[in-house]
Amino acid sequence: MPPVPVEASNHYLFNETNHELHGVNGMNTNIVQDKKKKSLKYIEDVTMNADEVQQRVLVEILSSSAHVEYLQRHGLDGRTDKETYKKVMPVVTYEDLKPDIDRIANGDNSPILCSKPISEFLTSSGTSGGERKLMPTIEDELERKTLFYSLQMHVMDQCVPGLDKGKGMYFLFIKSEAKTPGGLLARPVLTSYYKSSHFKDRKHDHDLYINYTSPNETIFCLDSYQSMYSQLLCGLCQNEEVLRVGAVFASGFIRAIKFLEKHWVSLCNDIRTGTIYDKITDPSVREAVMKILKPNPKLAAFIEVECKKESWKGIIKRLWPNTKYIDVIVTGTMSQYIPILDNYSNGLPLVCTMYGSSECYFGINLNPLCDPAEVSYTLIPTMAYFEFLPLIKINGQTNSISNLQEHIVDLVDVELGQEYELVVTTYAGLYRYRVGDILRVAGFKNKAPQFTFVCRKNVVLSIDADKTDEVELQNAVKNGANHLAKFGATLTEYTSCANTSTIPGHYVLYWEINMHNNQTTIPASVFEECCLALEESLNSVYRQGRVSESIGPLEIKVVENGTFDKLMDFAISMGASINQYKTPRCVKYAPIVELLNSKVVSCYSSPQCPNWVPGQKGWCTLE
């Protein structure tokens, strides 16, 4: 099979699809099947010729940005061959690029990272300074993302036929936007996509795979209560048409079900009478919902009977009887939510369809009905130029730039079973950028590797989109514990866990405290101040999650003196070396969590949300 030209590979399917969309009034089975065949052939072609496609992607990226300042600075001098690129261009982190990104954010329009204009910034996880990372993007990336969604949907339809015959009930939300001092938008990647014309102007009658129960107006409502309520209402009204349900993260979908538990009486009343709860005040939301909502006493009675039952086991299949699967991310830290999803769904398949980030969209799950523990993603070679740092080299003696560059390997050269850190070169101006994701090679699709997501590098705590590493946690704990000093108390030891038994989940800190004056009692209000100080010290992604109620209030549990000695004894009894033992800063193993909880003497929670505003310090916010 001949190599797929890169200049065609990113666009031929998209352009063919566009032609069909504009040339046909309504969809028919032949067109649906034709589009699916093209998607599957595209995947077959680019994975069969992965090495050639990757080389051409690199040439295309480097030739289009040959004269940008960043490449010139490192001496690439217009060359596009892989050997020179690997020799002269360093492997970098966000901190290395931050000065250039700040220049663009502050209004420098010269071609610093990319020859094409930076259209906006996509905000990623927080930096050590507590601000979100700013990932540059260009208009062309929206076409690649649209193609990507099309590919994964046609893969899904191959495994679960007939998805075009019904609707998806997805709980989708946008987040607040900011403007950089230079006037560019800065917003999360999914907010950017949802507000793009590719999503907003999609035609349901032309592509039934993207036919959702939620009107755009309900998705675009920034009030999380009104958005969730109206999306649930629309999903319930169309319950017989729903074939798939989901959200981005497992935690978000569970939050929707918990919301339903709390508000089903009002929702049933709306469906029974054909009116909308008066707390839904957004005019555009009310107007959009009223196009769907009609008085339906029979449906309201059915929902009421199901929701009144003592057990909510299988509630998803009971209320939406034609649902075939749940589409949520349950890999990595989200795997902690699998048991509660299984309970609510009565064992419906949990599907992880794709793998991407603010930097780039990476891979598709070609076996979406597999067990969540076996999910792997086939990296699509046309999305970016991919390289991989062997993990053993990162943690060992080769953790330096010069040695890293010696050991880095290409997409087709990774080894089965080996773990790597992902490195990308993108069309939008990231060159040999360390994404921070750790992946394990699980197999191959033709010549393209398939990866299991292992973890986010250095992350110890995560509930939703937040990612807190050990250094950040340590600094936050230090700031929180400072409030104890005036009572003659010090924090002697601590650890943490992500508690997902509550919805939303929340961080728990276990503190062992030394009271230098045994007569002193520390008021509960002081521990609450400690909780809030901790939260104020965490990154903006965490703080936004608290404000938007996707993360619950941080909790401090004070444990008996000697608890951490018992924790060490337990670890040693399980085989740990007494010479090498150090207190884990995050615990997940159930017996250890049970041990800690058995020693708790008092509990305190943050009394309010930490401060958060869109953007970064000194930026203006959007009205």
Side-chain angles (χ1 to χ4, degrees):
M1 187 179 294
V4 180
V6 134
E7 52 272 20
S9 65
N10 274 330
H11 301 291
Y12 91 87
L13 178 62
F14 182 83
N15 289 337
E16 290 283 340
T17 303
N18 254 358
H19 175 73
E20 290 168 357
L21 293 185
H22 289 102
V24 178
N25 291 321
M27 294 289 287
N28 60 52
T29 302
N30 290 336
I31 292 177
V32 170
Q33 291 305 312
D34 187 48
K35 290 174 68 177
K36 183 166 75 172
K37 286 179 183 177
K38 287 179 178 177
S39 289
L40 299 178
K41 183 177 186 301
Y42 179 93
I43 294 170
E44 192 70 26
D45 289 349
V46 298
T47 56
M48 183 66 74
N49 301 284
D51 192 28
E52 295 93 329
V53 171
Q54 278 282 277
Q55 291 192 49
R56 295 180 187 193
V57 165
L58 182 62
V59 169
E60 187 174 86
I61 291 172
L62 297 182
S63 59
S64 66
S65 292
H67 301 296
V68 302
E69 181 183 323
Y70 183 82
L71 296 181
Q72 292 292 313
R73 185 190 308 155
H74 289 287
L76 194 60
D77 198 28
R79 288 169 289 187
T80 61
D81 60 288
K82 181 174 68 174
E83 293 70 25
T84 303
Y85 181 66
K86 288 176 174 281
K87 181 178 179 180
V88 304
M89 296 302 297
V91 178
V92 298
T93 64
Y94 183 79
E95 294 303 319
D96 298 318
L97 297 182
K98 192 173 184 302
D100 289 320
I101 287 172
D102 285 345
R103 285 173 56 194
I104 299 169
N106 288 326
D108 190 333
N109 293 320
S110 58
I112 299 172
L113 294 175
C114 183
S115 60
K116 294 185 178 180
I118 301 301
S119 56
E120 63 180 303
F121 285 108
L122 305 177
T123 54
S124 186
S125 56
T127 66
S128 57
E131 301 290 359
R132 283 181 178 267
K133 295 175 184 175
L134 300 175
M135 294 298 161
T137 192
I138 56 178
E139 288 290 343
D140 291 358
E141 283 299 295
L142 284 170
E143 284 195 9
R144 267 180 281 277
K145 288 170 183 171
T146 301
L147 166 62
F148 201 80
Y149 284 121
S150 178
L151 294 177
Q152 60 97 0
M153 199 62 240
H154 287 114
V155 168
M156 196 67 235
D157 186 65
Q158 185 183 34
C159 300
V160 185
L163 294 176
D164 56 310
K165 302 296 191 292
K167 296 184 178 183
M169 182 181 71
Y170 284 76
F171 299 103
L172 308 177
F173 303 91
I174 64 167
K175 294 190 175 180
S176 298
E177 305 170 336
K179 271 195 174 179
T180 72
L184 290 174
L185 280 174
R187 53 190 179 179
V189 60
L190 290 175
T191 296
S192 171
Y193 183 74
Y194 297 152
K195 297 190 80 171
S196 73
S197 60
H198 292 265
F199 181 85
K200 286 196 301 184
D201 300 336
R202 67 196 188 283
K203 304 297 184 184
H204 295 162
D205 58 336
H206 285 154
D207 195 342
L208 298 179
Y209 293 119
I210 51 175
N211 194 359
Y212 302 134
T213 57
S214 298
N216 285 352
E217 293 82 357
T218 65
I219 297 170
F220 297 155
C221 178
L222 278 171
D223 184 304
S224 59
Y225 177 91
Q226 294 190 59
S227 180
M228 181 73 83
Y229 188 97
S230 56
Q231 290 193 59
L232 262 172
L233 180 57
C234 291
L236 288 167
C237 287
Q238 303 168 82
N239 72 321
E240 294 284 348
E241 299 176 68
V242 171
L243 300 183
R244 52 198 170 100
V245 299
V248 178
F249 294 114
S251 56
F253 186 78
I254 293 169
R255 202 160 65 247
I257 301 303
K258 287 293 184 181
F259 188 98
L260 176 61
E261 281 192 71
K262 188 175 181 180
H263 298 285
W264 65 263
V265 173
S266 297
L267 290 161
C268 283
N269 183 63
D270 289 354
I271 294 170
R272 183 178 294 108
T273 61
T275 59
I276 308 175
Y277 190 32
D278 57 13
K279 285 191 177 181
I280 308 306
T281 58
D282 186 310
S284 64
V285 171
R286 293 181 69 88
E287 181 180 352
V289 172
M290 284 307 298
K291 293 178 182 177
I292 296 170
L293 180 63
K294 300 292 184 286
N296 192 337
K298 183 179 178 181
L299 176 59
F302 164 72
I303 296 169
E304 186 174 39
V305 167
E306 294 299 330
C307 292
K308 272 186 174 179
K309 290 179 180 177
E310 184 176 346
S311 172
W312 271 47
K313 181 176 173 60
I315 192 68
I316 295 166
K317 191 69 175 173
R318 282 152 47 190
L319 293 181
W320 295 278
N322 298 315
T323 303
K324 298 182 178 182
Y325 64 90
I326 302 176
D327 185 353
V328 288
I329 294 172
V330 289
T331 52
T333 57
M334 288 294 126
S335 62
Q336 60 197 332
Y337 297 102
I338 291 174
I340 191 170
L341 282 172
D342 284 340
N343 180 64
Y344 280 138
S345 70
N346 227 8
L348 279 172
L350 303 178
V351 170
C352 301
T353 56
M354 57 177 282
Y355 165 46
S357 73
S358 303
E359 292 88 345
C360 176
Y361 281 15
F362 303 127
I364 293 170
N365 183 0
L366 298 183
N367 183 23
L369 295 182
C370 68
D371 185 275
E374 299 174 357
V375 168
S376 66
Y377 302 98
T378 303
L379 266 60
I380 303 300
T382 53
M383 292 296 116
Y385 180 66
F386 300 110
E387 297 177 274
F388 301 87
L389 289 168
L391 190 60
I392 190 171
K393 305 300 181 183
I394 300 169
N395 293 335
Q397 296 299 311
T398 58
N399 194 10
S400 67
I401 289 298
S402 58
N403 283 334
L404 285 179
Q405 295 194 176
E406 287 179 20
H407 293 284
I408 200 166
V409 297
D410 287 334
L411 179 68
V412 296
D413 295 326
V414 297
E415 298 177 6
L416 186 66
Q418 174 65 289
E419 292 185 1
Y420 299 88
E421 182 182 350
L422 178 61
V423 177
V424 296
T425 295
T426 71
Y427 285 88
L430 298 178
Y431 305 96
R432 310 197 84 187
Y433 178 83
R434 296 173 71 168
V435 174
D437 288 353
I438 305 302
L439 310 176
R440 182 186 299 115
V441 184
F444 292 85
K445 166 66 175 176
N446 296 322
K447 296 180 181 178
Q450 298 172 311
F451 292 92
T452 297
F453 180 86
V454 176
C455 64
R456 180 74 179 168
K457 189 181 175 186
N458 298 327
V459 170
V460 294
L461 285 173
S462 178
I463 292 292
D464 194 66
D466 54 299
K467 300 177 182 71
T468 299
D469 64 32
E470 189 169 324
V471 173
E472 183 181 11
L473 180 63
Q474 171 68 33
N475 291 334
V477 167
K478 180 181 176 182
N479 291 338
N482 284 341
H483 290 264
L484 302 176
K486 56 189 173 184
F487 294 91
T490 56
L491 177 66
T492 57
E493 198 54 277
Y494 77 92
T495 190
S496 66
C497 74
N499 184 343
T500 56
S501 65
T502 62
I503 301 297
H506 65 284
Y507 290 6
V508 175
L509 277 293
Y510 295 93
W511 280 15
E512 186 172 318
I513 295 170
N514 182 21
M515 299 294 299
H516 302 292
N517 181 354
N518 292 330
Q519 304 303 313
T520 302
T521 300
I522 303 176
S525 60
V526 173
F527 284 108
E528 291 176 352
E529 290 173 6
C530 294
C531 292
L532 185 57
L534 266 159
E535 293 197 302
E536 293 283 8
S537 303
L538 295 174
N539 64 62
S540 64
V541 183
Y542 174 87
R543 288 181 281 116
Q544 182 179 11
R546 283 282 286 114
V547 171
S548 64
E549 300 181 347
S550 62
I551 303 172
L554 180 143
E555 182 180 17
I556 289 176
K557 294 185 176 183
V558 179
V559 296
E560 298 173 1
N561 285 342
T563 295
F564 281 85
D565 290 336
K566 290 182 172 60
L567 182 61
M568 181 176 69
D569 292 342
F570 179 85
I572 292 170
S573 74
M574 298 295 289
S577 166
I578 191 169
N579 294 319
Q580 296 180 315
Y581 176 81
K582 64 177 183 177
T583 302
R585 293 310 176 204
C586 179
V587 293
K588 299 177 182 177
Y589 186 46
I592 292 179
V593 176
E594 289 171 10
L595 187 157
L596 289 166
N597 284 330
S598 72
K599 302 299 181 182
V600 171
V601 295
S602 56
C603 303
Y604 310 92
S605 292
S606 191
Q608 64 192 65
C609 288
N611 290 316
W612 176 81
V613 293
Q616 298 188 1
K617 295 171 184 175
W619 289 13
C620 63
T621 57
L622 293 178
E623 296 298 329

